[in-house]
Amino acid sequence: MLSIVSSTGDKANFRIRNTETAHSQVNLVAQLERGLIRNFGAKEHVFVTGDPQANVYRVAEGVICLYKLAPGGKRQIVRFCFKGDIFGLGAGGDHALSAQTLHGARVRYVAASILTQLATVHPRLGTEIYRTLAEELAALQEHLFIVGQRTAIERVANFLVSLSQRNAEQGEDPLVLALPMTRLDIGDYLGLTLETVSRTLTKLRLKGVVDFHQGSQIALLDMGKLEELADVQ
Amino acid sequence: MLSIVSSTGDKANFRIRNTETAHSQVNLVAQLERGLIRNFGAKEHVFVTGDPQANVYRVAEGVICLYKLAPGGKRQIVRFCFKGDIFGLGAGGDHALSAQTLHGARVRYVAASILTQLATVHPRLGTEIYRTLAEELAALQEHLFIVGQRTAIERVANFLVSLSQRNAEQGEDPLVLALPMTRLDIGDYLGLTLETVSRTLTKLRLKGVVDFHQGSQIALLDMGKLEELADVQ
DNA sequence: CGACTAATTGATCCAGTTCAATTCATGTGG
DNA sequence: CCACATGAATTGAACTGGATCAATTAGTCG
């Protein structure tokens, strides 16, 4: 829970209760790892568009998708957040996006106000939050590029490569992906229809680049070819 | 120039040289308005992909476009920066984007390191920089949605509405837009070809929604209809 | 004027959408 | 345990919005 931080952001109090030095302790991930935890079932919302940006979240388990919805029913998934990802950062107004689980998730969170307070005492925390936001921005720019300029096969290949890289970072097998999202989710993320995603994956299977049977698990057979198709730079 | 800030970020020194209070003075826009100024001709680069993020910029005059380039020659314009817009913010690594003028521009800038230093002394400045970045992120999410989910006419209509709103904010006529960018630029921004942009504008003209003759100046004749087409929410 | 860049417009093409049918996986209650 | 409902995925067929290729016009500057 948040017991390591008094409601007034008392620095001395904080130090006493921790074995590590304050310097190594006051960082964003550490704060979030000590935050409250909450379990969500399938398709549950962590927050929706218009909710105040009260908390900063970190995925402990499962996947969260951040999306924007249009009146016409069109949905743009802006980001998939996997284990370890931080989301909910913002200027402090209302959320422009909704955050929803796929099959369910465990999420840790800390009140944004507490982080703000802490950051005034520990500038490094502020810097870290800032860097996290800047990385989110850079990733989104890259994603815009893919959605705006690339063909279906390039988008899908790129998506698979991204998942593979993430797996590698997490120490999991980079050649076997457990797609936790539906074809519709992938489509709404890549700016394609679910049929096009399905067809494109089939194309990749026929090319011998990937293999899959139940659709939720994909083996990357030819990573070189896949990266060539993804062709991102 | 940067004379208001000593190289060590000396607060006392800073106060002495200014008539306003330190509180009202140390904000991002004020810092940038006192930053160095630089003039750029047409199609000149302020920075390119890979350059270190050394400075933070603010457009004093003209338009800057931020874009990403692919080896195949495809270009995604991520943002148009108009008078008063701040750009170049980032995590402190290298620029992922290139920044180029259209017809030329005057730009003021301050070293990122100076802002960082100042922010440690003036937390409000840090907060402001953070908010600026968060707003950039929110705008980009909105733009991704438009590029990912909308038709050509919706994208173009939305683009015109955005320009109109910007005009209104700047105290200029919201019903007469001076398009400073080419059809190609607009296309690369909206994920369309220049021909589609041209055809779409013609369509809007035939519908009586807009009017134009030389192509670089557009009158919005039916704002209600335009917003209906833009249909953003 | 001539050279150049931007814009328009036409004709054709095709990648991806749309509509629709079938298969598959999973679970649920009788 | 099977019958059946349900949601997800695949696949087919036809369509279309936007891309591509190409030609013309228009504006601008030396």
Side-chain angles (χ1 to χ4, degrees), chain B residues 75-158:
Chain B
R75 178 180 67 150
Q76 175 69 47
I77 292 182
V78 172
R79 178 152 86 109
F80 289 112
C81 298
F82 300 90
K83 184 175 176 179
D85 284 349
I86 289 163
F87 66 98
L89 286 174
D94 293 340
H95 284 293
L97 305 176
S98 299
Q100 188 180 35
T101 66
L102 299 182
H103 302 296
R106 287 195 310 133
V107 167
R108 288 202 180 263
Y109 64 98
V110 171
S113 58
I114 287 181
L115 289 178
T116 306
Q117 251 177 26
L118 262 182
T120 63
V121 185
H122 303 274
R124 277 164 185 267
L125 177 63
T127 305
E128 206 187 347
I129 294 173
Y130 176 77
R131 186 188 305 116
T132 304
L133 198 68
E135 281 165 7
E136 198 178 327
L137 183 71
L140 195 58
Q141 288 165 348
E142 179 64 34
H143 191 220
L144 172 66
F145 175 82
I146 288 166
V147 171
Q149 304 296 333
R150 300 249 162 227
T151 64
I153 203 164
E154 288 169 340
R155 294 185 211 194
V156 172
N158 187 271

Side-chain angles (χ1 to χ4, degrees), chain A residues 142-158:
Chain A
E142 179 64 33
H143 190 219
L144 172 67
F145 176 82
I146 289 167
V147 171
Q149 304 295 332
R150 300 248 161 228
T151 64
I153 204 164
E154 288 169 340
R155 294 185 212 194
V156 172
N158 187 269

Side-chain angles (χ1 to χ4, degrees), chain A residues 108-169:
Chain A
R108 289 203 179 261
Y109 64 99
V110 171
S113 58
I114 288 180
L115 289 179
T116 305
Q117 251 177 27
L118 262 181
T120 62
V121 186
H122 303 275
R124 277 164 184 267
L125 177 64
T127 305
E128 206 188 347
I129 293 173
Y130 177 76
R131 187 188 306 116
T132 304
L133 197 69
E135 282 165 6
E136 198 178 327
L137 182 71
L140 195 58
Q141 289 166 348
E142 179 64 33
H143 190 219
L144 172 67
F145 176 82
I146 289 167
V147 171
Q149 304 295 332
R150 300 248 161 228
T151 64
I153 204 164
E154 288 169 340
R155 294 185 212 194
V156 172
N158 187 269
F159 179 66
L160 295 178
V161 169
S162 294
L163 288 184
S164 173
Q165 285 171 351
R166 174 169 295 275
N167 265 18
E169 283 163 16

